Amino acid sequence: MALPKHHPYYNEYAEKAAVLQTEAGSIHIMSCKRDEYNVRYRDFEEQKNTGDKIRFVRLHSGLTIDRLADKLGIDRTTLMRYEHNEISEDFINTSLLLEIENICGVPRYTLFDDYLLFFETCKLKGLRRQHNITQKQLAAHLGVDRNTISRWEQKKCRPSREMWRSAVEYFWSLSE
């Protein structure tokens, strides 16, 4: 059980706490962040962002942050930054997500949201061809250079989530 915020030892507890315990089928995490010091992970579907999904699969695989970071060949603080959503979702390394899925034994693309899945599976080019849209036409609609569309299709870079939403809305409008 977590200490209430008004408890005199709360600050010390919140800074040192990193305790895992299993109780009635749910995993409790005492986080170093005060606002997250007692987060319950009951169901994968409840995880809203990539960092929470990473933490969920890591914990359900019985791995510590140190152990998973070692297996990934990255620093534990990098993994912690992913889990605490301190790395913008626009800059998430998809090959790292695939490796986490492999190590934790979860199906491919489990950790991917619609945005990441769209570009990992390279659907932009297929949608563009399906609607007989050239790179130049799509670029003009989105207000970017044609080479930018080409780089997105070749997975050399990804657009911002806002730009992705604009592209998806554009294709939806063509389908109606």
Side-chain angles (χ1 to χ4, degrees):
M1 183 170 167
L3 292 175
K5 289 185 178 182
H6 64 275
H7 193 281
Y9 293 111
Y10 174 77
N11 288 338
E12 181 181 335
Y13 176 81
E15 290 171 6
K16 293 181 180 177
V19 178
L20 287 175
Q21 66 187 62
T22 303
E23 178 182 297
S26 62
I27 296 176
H28 301 271
I29 298 174
M30 304 315 208
S31 172
C32 295
K33 291 187 173 187
R34 292 183 186 134
D35 294 335
E36 300 174 5
Y37 74 96
N38 190 14
V39 179
R40 292 178 188 248
Y41 291 90
R42 294 187 184 113
D43 185 24
F44 184 80
E45 305 307 318
E46 293 176 10
Q47 310 318 307
K48 300 294 183 211
N49 50 44
T50 306
D52 292 336
K53 290 176 183 178
I54 291 170
R55 188 178 314 133
F56 184 90
V57 298
R58 176 181 61 78
L59 292 171
H60 281 275
S61 299
L63 295 170
T64 64
I65 283 185
D66 291 324
R67 183 83 170 119
L68 182 56
D70 285 345
K71 287 183 176 218
L72 293 169
I74 62 173
D75 188 73
R76 74 182 299 276
T77 56
T78 302
L79 184 55
M80 286 175 65
R81 290 183 63 220
Y82 272 99
E83 287 191 2
H84 292 291
N85 300 299
E86 294 173 4
I87 294 176
S88 169
E89 295 215 347
D90 289 345
F91 299 107
I92 287 179
N93 181 338
T94 55
S95 60
L96 182 70
L97 292 181
L98 292 170
E99 186 63 23
I100 292 170
E101 291 170 344
N102 185 42
I103 291 168
C104 294
V106 296
R108 190 171 180 88
Y109 303 126
T110 299
L111 298 175
F112 287 62
D113 61 9
D114 291 340
Y115 167 80
L116 294 173
L117 188 58
F118 184 87
F119 289 101
E120 185 63 24
T121 58
C122 222
K123 294 194 181 207
L124 182 62
K125 188 174 189 175
L127 278 173
R128 192 175 51 73
R129 286 185 172 173
Q130 177 184 344
H131 293 285
N132 295 318
I133 303 292
T134 65
Q135 287 180 342
K136 187 175 181 179
Q137 290 170 318
L138 180 58
H141 179 78
L142 296 175
V144 297
D145 188 68
R146 186 204 63 79
N147 290 327
T148 302
I149 302 294
S150 178
R151 286 194 307 270
W152 292 347
E153 290 180 355
Q154 295 170 16
K155 295 191 206 176
K156 291 184 178 177
C157 64
R158 291 190 302 242
S160 69
R161 286 177 182 266
E162 292 163 14
M163 188 65 68
W164 168 71
R165 281 187 200 97
S166 295
V168 170
E169 288 170 4
Y170 176 63
F171 287 117
W172 272 104
S173 71
L174 296 175
S175 298
E176 295 175 341

